[in-house]
Amino acid sequence: MADDGSLAAVLRGVDEYQQEVLAGIGALAPLALPLSAAHGCVLAADVSAPWPLPSFDNSAMDGYAVRAQDVAEATQASPVELTVIDDVPAGFRSVETVAAGQAVRIMTGAPMPDGADAVVPVERTDGGTGVVHVTGSVSPGAYVRRAAEDVVTGEVVLTAGTVIGARQTAILAAVGSGVVVVHPRPRIAVISTGSELVEPGTPLRHGLVTDSNGYLLVAACTEAGADAYRVGPIVDDETAFLNAVEDQLHRCDLILTSGGVSMGAYDTVKAVLSGLGTVEFSKVAMNPGMPQGHGFVGADRVPIITLPGNPVSSYVSFEAFVRPVIRAMRGLTDVLRPQREVPIGSGLDSPAGKRQYARGRFLPSGEAVPVGHGQGSHLFGGLAAAQALIVVGEDTTRLEPGDLVSVIDLRADER
Ligand code: AMP
Ligand code: MG
C-alpha cells in the first residue's frame, strides 16, 4: 500500500461518495396498495376524510340514554325511575324517541337515540331492563361522543410523506381508506458472490464459508423498510454472475451484490460490471469498506450497489450507502441516520485519512466503547454485539478515554 499522501489522492471521501450514490435515486412511483399491504410505506398523497369522526353521536359508556333534565335530582337516597323503552347494542339504532321519564338502554358505540342528550353510566343505576332506577345525575352531553369532534368531513387526516405505522393505519381504516396511494417498499435482490460460499445448515468443507452476507443484507434491508430476497450464492464465474443479474432486472428496484469488488484475480463483480460502462468502482476513504461500486444496469437502468465481501465491510457499507438509498426510494427525505457525540470509554486507534466505523457498545454511563476482538472486517463477534457504530473522523488517528466521538446508535432497529 502506498503512503498516506498518495493514498489520499486515490480515495473518494465518504460523504461525497454517499451523495454520488444518492444522486440518481428518487422515490419509487406511487402505487395504490390495499391498506393491509401498506404498513411501513410512505403516503404519496394527502388523505382526507370522506366522513366525520365520529360519524354519528354515540354513547361513550354502557348505560342509559336519557334526558339530563330528567335525572338532575337523582341521588343514591332518592333515585329517579325511568321507563326503558328500547335496548341498543353497538351496530344498531333505536327508532324510538326518548321522551320525559323515559330511557333507552345503550351500549358503548351505539348511536344516541333521538330525544336523549346524555348517557347515565350503568354504574349509576340498578341496571334495570323494564324500568331503571338512576342514582346519580349527569349533565347534558355527558358520556356522549359527538359526531365530528375528532375529524370533520374533508379534513386532511394524514399528509403525503407520512410513514404508515400502526397508529396511522388506524385512522386510515377509520376514514375508509381500504386502498392507499403510497411509495411502495423497494424490492431488492441481494446477490452473494463467491465460489467459497455455501448455505447455512449445509456441511462445511475445509475452505468454505457460509453465506452470511446474503442473510445480513436481507435483514438489514428489511429493517430499513424494503422487501428484499436472497439470490445465490453465485460462483465466481462471469457468465454465472451476469445471468444472475439479468434474471433480477425485471423483478426489483435495486440490486445489491456482495463480494468480488476488490483487486483479486477472481473479482467477478468488478470484472463484469466494469464492462457495462454504467457502473463505477471507487476506493472510498473508510474503514472497513474501502472498495465500492454503484451504477445502473439493464434497459430500465436498475440501480445496483456492489458491496465488499467481508461481512463487516458489507454491513458498514450498507449503513453508509444502501440504507440512505432505500429511504430515498421509500419517499423519505431524512435519509441519513442521526449521529451524536458521546465520550469514548476506552482508547481507540484509527487509520489516518480514513473514516473509521468501529463497532461499539454503550456503557451505563452513556460512554461508547469498542466491542469484539479488534476491528477486523471479518470479525462477526463484535458486529453481533454492536449497539452502535463509533465514527472516527479521517484526521483522527487516536482517541483517548474521555474524548468525544460521534456515534450512530443502531438500537433503534432492535425490536
Ligand atoms: P471478496 O470481496 O469476494 O474478495 O471477499 C472478501 C472476504 O469476504 C472473503 O474472505 C470472502 O470469503 C468473504 N465473503 C464474501 N462474500 C461473503 C458472504 N456472502 N458471506 C460471508 N463471507 C463472505
Ligand atoms: Mg469473493
Side-chain angles (χ1 to χ4, degrees), residues 191-198 207-217 233 236 258-264 266-269 291 307-314 377-378 380:
I191 307 178
S192 301
T193 71
S195 297
E196 74 280 30
L197 302 177
V198 295
L208 303 185
V209 295
T210 47
D211 173 19
S212 293
N213 293 352
Y215 288 89
L216 162 71
L217 293 170
D236 290 315
S258 76
V261 292
S262 359
M263 305 300 283
Y266 298 94
D267 282 329
T268 325
V269 172
L307 304 174
N310 278 302
V312 181
S313 307
S314 235
S377 59
H378 61 298
F380 288 103

Side-chain angles (χ1 to χ4, degrees), residues 344 348 356-360 368-370 388-392 405-408:
I344 195 157
L348 179 63
Q356 182 178 209
Y357 292 88
R359 278 69 65 208
V369 286
L389 292 174
I390 301 172
V391 187
V392 188
V405 70
S406 280
V407 291
I408 298 172

Side-chain angles (χ1 to χ4, degrees), residues 170-254:
I171 199 164
L172 289 168
V175 299
S177 297
V179 171
V180 284
V181 180
V182 296
H183 299 290
R185 277 184 293 276
R187 297 161 303 168
I188 304 180
V190 174
I191 307 178
S192 301
T193 71
S195 297
E196 74 280 30
L197 302 177
V198 295
E199 275 295 302
T202 54
L204 209 54
R205 277 194 292 112
H206 184 72
L208 303 185
V209 295
T210 47
D211 173 19
S212 293
N213 293 352
Y215 288 89
L216 162 71
L217 293 170
V218 167
C221 288
T222 306
E223 288 177 359
D227 285 339
Y229 54 94
R230 292 172 56 242
V231 177
I234 305 295
V235 293
D236 290 315
D237 170 82
E238 297 195 8
T239 310
F241 176 67
L242 196 54
N243 286 343
V245 170
E246 280 176 347
D247 275 354
Q248 298 311 317
L249 288 178
H250 298 291
R251 301 206 172 108
C252 63
D253 304 302
L254 172 66

Side-chain angles (χ1 to χ4, degrees), residues 6 11 61 64 84 121 124 151 175 184 201 259 261 294 311 339 354 364 372:
S6 57
L11 295 185
M61 299 288 278
Y64 296 82
V84 180
R124 271 181 231 177
V151 169
V175 299
V261 292
H294 79 100
Q339 297 192 14
K354 289 186 185 175

